[in-house]
Structures are given as C-alpha cells and as structure tokens.
Amino acid sequence: MYIFHQKRQRFQREDPTVRHQSPDSLTSHESPRSQPPPPFLPLSLGFQSPPRKQENLVHFHSSTMASIAPTSTSFITKKELDLSAFSLSSPFLQRCKRSSSKKICSVMAPQQSERRPAATGSVKTGMTMTEKILARASEKTQLSPGDNVWVNVDTLMTHDVCGPGSIGIFKKEFGQDAKVWDREKIVIIPDHYIFTSDERANRNVDILRDFCSEQNIKYFYDIKDLGNFKANPDYKGVCHIALAQEGHCRPGEVLLGTDSHTCTAGAFGQFATGIGNTDAGFVMGTGKLLLKVPPTLRFVMDGEMPDYLLAKDLILQIIGEISVAGATYKAMEFVGTTVESLTMEERMTLCNMVVEAGGKNGVVPADSTTYKYLEDKTSAPYEPVYSDEQARFLSEYRFDISKLEPLVAKPHSPDNRALARECKDVKIDRVYIGSCTGGKTEDFLAAAKVFLASGKKVKVPTFLVPATQKVWMDVYSLPVPGSGGKTCSQIFEEAGCDTPASPSCGACLGGPKDTYARMNIPQVCVSTTNRNFPGRMGHKEGQIYLASPYTAAASALTGYVTDPREFLQ
C-alpha cells in the first residue's frame, strides 16, 4: 500500500512584523528528475537523504519493503515515479520477500529513459534563482531541490586559516607537481591571523606565498610587512569584503570559499557558499564540485526602513524568527521593497549571516544597485538570473520592516533575539565594531553618525577594526554627512574611541592571544560581528551581544546595551 503524507507546518509565534506563509498558498510545481538514477543504489554507500519537504509525498509501506532501509527513492513526488514499477508481483520484490527480514538489500530503481523538456512551448516547471544558477553551472536544463549535480566553479577563495590545509590535500591527491585547474579563478586572501607574533600563524601565510609563487596564482593579496600594513599595496583584509571590492563577485556565478561566511557574496545575485578543505583541494585540481540543490526559503521585506535600523537588525529578526537551524541546507532568498532600497554593503550584511540560520546560501536579485556597484570593479561579462513566477519555495515569510525596532542577539546564540530597549539594564565592558558583518565603510559611517548626534564621549573601551585597507582609507578620508566635513576618524577620536586598527578579521573569532581587541578576560561586549558562542571572541566566559553599528555606538556612549533611538531621534 502507499500512504500520502501532508507536510506539517512549524508553529510560528505571533509577531507584528512577520507573516509566515505555508507552501499550500504558494506557487508550486512538480518536476521530473534532471537525470535518471543509476540502476543500483547500494545502501552501504550512504545514498540516503532526508525526506524532501514537498506536498503530496508518496511513502511506500509494505510487509515486503519493511526490511529495506529507506533510500533517496523512499520519498518522491507522485509524478517522479510510476507506481506500477514496484508492483508486488515484480521479480525484484519476490526475491526480497524470500530473503531474511533483517537483511538489507540493494534497491533497484526502475529503468527510465532521460526525460527532456519539450523543445517547443513554454517551460512548465519554474526554478528559483539558486536552482537556475546551479543548473547553468552544471549544464542542465532543469534542476529540483535534492538533485546532486557536478557544478563548474567560477571562483574559489581560500585564506590563511584553511588555505594550507586545502593546499596539502590538493598536493596529496593530485601530486606534488600538479597544477591548479585555473590560476586566474583561485583567489587567496590572508586575513584571519595576520597581525600577531604567533609563529604558526605567520607560517600559514608563508605557505600561501610559496604556493602562489609555484602556481603563478594571479589573485594573491599578500602581506609581508606586518609592522605597517600600508607598506603592502597588495594586502586587502577581510576576504568577504575584499572579494566584492576587487570585482570577484558577479551575478549568476558560483563562488566557493573555505569560510562559512562566503555566503556574503550572495548579495550580488550569485550562488556563494562555504566549503571544507577537502572540497577546496578537489576544486583546485578539477574546477568542479558535487553539490546538492537546496530548497529555497523566501523572505519578503516591505515597508520603509526607519532611520534607526540597519540590515543587521533585519537579519537578527529573521534568525530569531526561524532559529539557528531554521534554514539548514536551504537557500534564503531576500526580496521586497525594503531589500531593493538597501545598498550593496547592507545587502552583504543580510546575506553574510544566513549561515547563522544554517543556510546553504543567501541571495538577493541583482538590480541597478548591483550593476552600479560593479561598474568600476570588473569588466568580466556576467548574466544575472531571477526566480520564475511559478518557482516553488519551501516557505515564504513576510515582514513589515516599518514596524521593526532595533534588536540584539543575547549570549550565547544568534537566535537569542531581544529588543535593544529590553536590555537597557545590561552593563557592558566594551564595544567592538568590525568584521565582515559590521566592519564595512557604511558601518563606520553609521557609528560615526551616532557619536556625532550625541556629542558625548564613550564610557567603555570602543575598538574599531576596518575590514579592508580600502575601508581603513575611507574612515580617514570620507566626510560624514552633516558633520561639516569631519571624517569618521576625527569623530571617533573626539568620542574617545580607540584608534582604528590594521584591517583584518581581528578579534571576531578570537585568534592568538596577542590579537588586537581579543577578549582575554571574562567581559560583556556589544559587537557588530556575527557569532556570540562561548569563546568566540576569546575568553570562553565572555558574553557577546550582537548588534548593529547604530546600537553598538549607542551602547558605547552609555556603558549599557542601548537603543540607538536615544540619540537618533
């Protein structure tokens, strides 16, 4: 017999800013497999995949099938398989019926010829942005969530923490004298443990330098003089911001990096995600990677953005709504009038933290804002893609941003959401403004805006770490609007902040003990970074409140977690 299962929706608590829409009310489709399964799927090889959350799923149960462990063919849409293929009279089932009930058998999938889309007429099955990008990269005409495909990689990025390991795997598997698949598609950016006397951290950069020289890697942003970063014209800083500034992020492409926050680049309308050292070593040698197509969650944000909110508040709201596991191996697509109004740097903040919700990737449709940003960054051709009207989304969430208030994520999880004003009694010891999430030019302009509006001095040590060398230069050169020509650096100095440090990842992930602004003792910190797990910024007993640059600056001025509206309204 077979039983139809309907998807159960997760209970959503009431929130005036969000409306969750189940798949029942969304445009849906059922698509054929892009390629037939192999005739045999040995269960011992780990082909089992979790049930795909789709409507009208068919689950096979019978006394004959009970002894067969579930495989990827256990949960499929009705149109994907002719039910007669598993008739009880088939020789395959008769053979299994005679075998021991505890013996695991291999499952033989029905023989199928590849079904291609019609050559004429409109395509009946829509795809999301993520599905379209992966379809193009895998040279397929159609993909559905759960499909496993070999993807051609446009750009591979690695840095000083994971680079040496990836290089070691590449040499072990492809040979000591092997050459990378394309020296112009590999970007190597030292950024994590740079300004330290730690010998092993310094050795990592040496390994990168030797490899890039050996392979003649075109895009290696080296640093040799640690005493003065400005003496290193090639040095950039935080990889995710440098990738954008140097023109490596382009709509419609596939960008992989050995860092979980590689998803930042999804702001440009491309598929970008973090991978491990083993995968990176394989990509170095082949330019390909086997990826499973993720289903997509859609987040529609409408309404005028209040002048006391930033994109950090938006993503903290979303993560608080769906939890740190709510988007596990799912694409998160951001649309709506609010998203369209965001600058590229703000969109990067939005996509940066999708991994904190478990997301595989985040993506924002490319538009005129994207193209304007890229005008002086790259001359390489690119082709954006957009979700079809009939594309299927696993779930859709709608937010009225005009009603949202400034937020923080309390220790020790990014989904521990709270209103900033609710934490006004939390005394803090320090403030940290920096990282790929909150160390961009506009983040420092936002912090300077709060300091300027207050006219006061900070009450706790306030550390400033520009993400890249370009951001550092902007801090010292760009005038802050409404300041009469003052730069961020001048306003920070007047407010009593620490002098802006050398650009790097800094204390965002702790690092060696001599890392600038590292938490070496238990303290309470308001930070514009992305994670607040125990030990993330150094001491395991430290407490980290994640916040926007507005909220971080306001908190620095009072010595308590503070709603920025106290100074901006």
Side-chain angles (χ1 to χ4, degrees):
M1 64 177 178
Y2 56 90
I3 302 173
F4 290 93
H5 292 268
Q6 297 295 327
K7 176 181 176 183
R8 294 182 179 179
Q9 293 297 318
R10 174 177 174 269
F11 173 74
Q12 299 292 322
R13 60 183 179 278
E14 292 294 329
D15 189 317
T17 68
V18 62
R19 178 163 63 87
H20 176 251
Q21 197 167 347
S22 71
D24 293 332
S25 59
L26 303 178
T27 303
S28 64
H29 70 271
E30 294 178 345
S31 63
R33 287 284 186 183
S34 59
Q35 56 189 19
F40 292 95
L41 299 178
L43 300 180
S44 61
L45 296 184
F47 284 103
Q48 181 175 340
S49 60
R52 289 160 53 195
K53 296 182 180 179
Q54 298 184 0
E55 299 305 311
N56 298 327
L57 298 176
V58 182
H59 191 188
F60 294 96
H61 295 275
S62 73
S63 58
T64 310
M65 298 292 285
S67 64
I68 303 179
T71 71
S72 58
T73 56
S74 297
F75 288 84
I76 46 183
T77 58
K78 287 196 296 180
K79 289 189 178 180
E80 287 181 281
L81 181 64
D82 183 352
L83 297 183
S84 64
F86 280 100
S87 168
L88 291 179
S89 62
S90 71
F92 166 68
L93 291 183
Q94 289 178 357
R95 289 198 300 272
C96 286
K97 190 173 183 179
R98 289 196 296 268
S99 63
S100 170
S101 62
K102 293 184 179 181
K103 183 178 180 181
I104 298 178
C105 303
S106 294
V107 176
M108 182 173 70
Q111 293 290 341
Q112 301 179 16
S113 59
E114 186 170 356
R115 291 173 287 181
R116 301 181 181 277
T120 59
S122 60
V123 177
K124 294 181 175 59
T125 302
M127 289 192 288
T128 65
M129 284 181 66
T130 295
E131 291 160 10
K132 282 187 175 182
I133 294 170
L134 294 179
R136 178 195 293 169
S138 61
E139 301 176 7
K140 304 289 184 183
T141 56
Q142 187 73 43
L143 286 181
S144 298
D147 289 346
N148 293 294
V149 289
W150 286 101
V151 171
N152 294 312
V153 179
D154 293 294
T155 304
L156 171 68
M157 184 280 297
T158 190
H159 50 53
D160 56 296
V161 173
C162 297
S166 301
I167 292 167
I169 291 169
F170 166 74
K171 286 182 173 291
K172 177 183 176 183
E173 300 299 333
F174 292 93
Q176 292 297 315
D177 299 324
K179 293 296 182 182
V180 297
W181 106 96
D182 192 325
R183 72 176 192 87
E184 295 188 7
K185 292 187 176 182
I186 296 175
V187 183
I188 298 185
I189 310 177
D191 65 346
H192 277 60
Y193 304 149
I194 305 303
F195 303 103
T196 173
S197 60
D198 187 282
E199 293 181 358
R200 282 182 280 190
N202 296 335
R203 180 199 61 187
N204 278 4
V205 180
D206 294 338
I207 293 173
L208 298 183
R209 186 178 301 113
D210 292 343
F211 180 74
C212 290
S213 176
E214 167 195 310
Q215 298 284 338
N216 195 24
I217 299 297
K218 184 175 182 179
Y219 300 109
F220 172 45
Y221 300 114
D222 195 10
I223 180 168
K224 295 179 180 177
D225 186 348
L226 302 182
N228 179 15
F229 73 88
K230 295 188 291 296
N232 304 268
D234 291 336
Y235 177 68
K236 303 304 174 187
V238 178
C239 58
H240 310 300
I241 311 307
L243 282 170
Q245 292 176 344
E246 299 305 315
H248 299 294
C249 300
R250 294 177 290 268
E253 293 191 352
V254 172
L255 186 155
L256 304 180
T258 58
D259 189 290
S260 59
H261 290 106
T262 302
C263 51
T264 306
F268 291 85
Q270 65 182 135
F271 179 85
T273 194
I275 59 174
N277 292 1
T278 303
D279 284 346
F282 184 83
V283 174
M284 281 183 179
T286 65
K288 299 177 181 292
L289 191 64
L290 183 66
L291 291 174
K292 183 169 73 172
V293 180
T296 299
L297 303 178
R298 198 180 210 200
F299 298 86
V300 184
M301 290 178 274
D302 290 315
E304 184 177 354
M305 184 96 148
D307 58 8
Y308 47 80
L309 292 184
L310 292 169
K312 183 66 168 288
D313 298 295
L314 307 189
I315 193 62
L316 289 180
Q317 168 72 356
I318 289 171
I319 297 171
E321 188 65 32
I322 68 175
S323 86
V324 290
T328 301
Y329 209 95
K330 298 176 181 67
M332 297 173 68
E333 182 174 318
F334 302 104
V335 297
T337 58
T338 306
V339 177
E340 292 168 3
S341 72
L342 296 178
T343 65
M344 284 310 303
E345 289 195 357
E346 285 284 83
R347 296 179 188 186
M348 289 166 68
T349 299
L350 200 60
C351 289
N352 173 271
M353 286 188 67
V354 302
V355 70
E356 270 65 64
K360 181 66 173 177
N361 67 298
V363 67
V364 175
D367 58 13
S368 59
T369 301
T370 317
Y371 310 143
K372 181 68 176 176
Y373 182 93
L374 292 173
E375 276 182 2
D376 60 348
K377 305 288 192 306
T378 181
S379 59
Y382 55 81
E383 185 179 348
V385 299
Y386 304 94
S387 292
D388 293 323
E389 288 187 8
Q390 67 270 38
R392 170 158 185 144
F393 298 93
L394 193 63
S395 292
E396 184 175 277
Y397 297 81
R398 290 185 172 271
F399 296 84
D400 182 351
I401 300 304
S402 66
K403 298 178 181 178
L404 189 63
E405 296 184 53
L407 298 170
V408 297
K410 299 186 294 183
H412 293 282
S413 178
D415 64 358
N416 195 8
R417 174 186 56 180
L419 296 175
R421 61 180 173 82
E422 293 175 340
C423 302
K424 60 184 176 63
D425 296 327
V426 176
K427 191 176 186 306
I428 65 174
D429 301 303
R430 51 158 56 195
V431 165
Y432 185 95
I433 300 175
S435 83
C436 55
T437 316
K440 303 179 293 298
T441 296
E442 292 175 8
D443 297 318
F444 287 104
L445 286 169
K449 179 181 176 181
V450 175
F451 291 138
L452 183 68
S454 73
K456 300 178 181 179
K457 287 187 176 292
V458 298
K459 292 187 176 180
V460 294
T462 302
F463 304 101
L464 311 168
V465 186
T468 65
Q469 188 158 184
K470 184 184 183 306
V471 174
W472 188 93
M473 293 174 65
D474 289 344
V475 166
Y476 278 88
S477 62
L478 290 182
V480 175
S483 69
K486 290 182 180 179
T487 65
C488 288
S489 61
Q490 291 173 314
I491 293 172
F492 294 152
E493 183 178 4
E494 291 174 359
C497 301
D498 266 32
T499 302
S502 299
S504 74
C505 292
C508 173
L509 70 166
K513 285 198 172 181
D514 62 348
T515 298
Y516 175 77
R518 185 184 191 272
M519 290 174 64
N520 290 323
I521 59 175
Q523 290 182 313
V524 179
C525 177
V526 172
S527 178
T528 64
T529 54
N530 43 53
R531 289 176 181 159
N532 57 351
F533 312 132
R536 170 67 182 184
M537 296 185 71
H539 201 284
K540 64 182 180 181
E541 295 178 15
Q543 297 184 52
I544 304 166
Y545 287 76
L546 302 179
S548 75
Y550 280 162
T551 302
S555 301
L557 291 166
T558 64
Y560 292 83
V561 175
T562 301
D563 189 316
R565 287 177 288 187
E566 289 192 19
F567 301 103
L568 294 178
Q569 287 187 335

